Amino acid sequence: MYWQYIQVRSTSYVLTTQRLITKTGVSRKEVNFIELYRVLDIQVERGPLYQLLDFARSCLGKKSLLLGDIRIFSSDYSHSKLFLYTIPNALGVAEKIRKAFNDDKDIKRVFHRD
């Protein structure tokens, strides 16, 4: 469990107007780029542990973190599924990603056919 905590703490995400950049790794860093126009769908999951943590924080009079995991599905060849773990305000972050990829698709005039 401690190793998972270290992995989560050593992972960072950067959202620009054109791409989502992920930096992962404890001893060996890996940087990945996903072009936003390639994003197809976003899913947010708030498991029972995250909900219990928010409930405990509210009982203590602290602000909820609204932690969640974000799953991004894309047409990117190397990362068709990207998982962002333990994201504070996961619904708000997912909405920012959704807006950014829709704006990028509009700028590049990319249309996705179902």
Side-chain angles (χ1 to χ4, degrees), residues 36-75:
L36 289 178
Y37 73 88
R38 292 186 176 273
V39 173
L40 302 173
D41 196 17
I42 299 176
Q43 179 183 14
V44 176
E45 182 179 303
R46 294 194 69 234
L49 182 63
Y50 295 150
Q51 294 178 39
L52 183 63
L53 180 63
D54 278 345
F55 177 73
R57 288 181 63 85
S58 67
C59 288
L60 295 172
K62 295 184 178 182
K63 185 178 175 184
S64 295
L65 295 174
L66 302 173
L67 291 174
D69 298 330
I70 301 174
R71 294 184 176 124
I72 299 174
F73 303 94
S74 74
S75 62

Side-chain angles (χ1 to χ4, degrees), residues 5-51:
Y5 174 77
I6 295 293
Q7 287 178 320
V8 167
R9 296 297 296 168
S10 64
T11 301
S12 64
Y13 309 102
V14 178
L15 178 65
T16 69
T17 57
Q18 295 183 340
R19 60 189 59 87
L20 177 63
I21 304 165
T22 61
K23 299 175 184 179
T24 59
V26 177
S27 60
R28 183 176 150 254
K29 289 287 184 185
E30 181 178 312
V31 180
N32 293 304
F33 303 87
I34 291 185
E35 299 294 327
L36 289 178
Y37 73 88
R38 292 186 176 273
V39 173
L40 302 173
D41 196 17
I42 299 176
Q43 179 183 14
V44 176
E45 182 179 303
R46 294 194 69 234
L49 182 63
Y50 295 150
Q51 294 178 39

Side-chain angles (χ1 to χ4, degrees), residues 85-100:
Y85 295 105
T86 318
I87 304 297
N89 188 18
L91 290 172
V93 171
E95 183 60 26
K96 286 182 182 180
I97 295 170
R98 187 201 62 77
K99 183 178 180 335

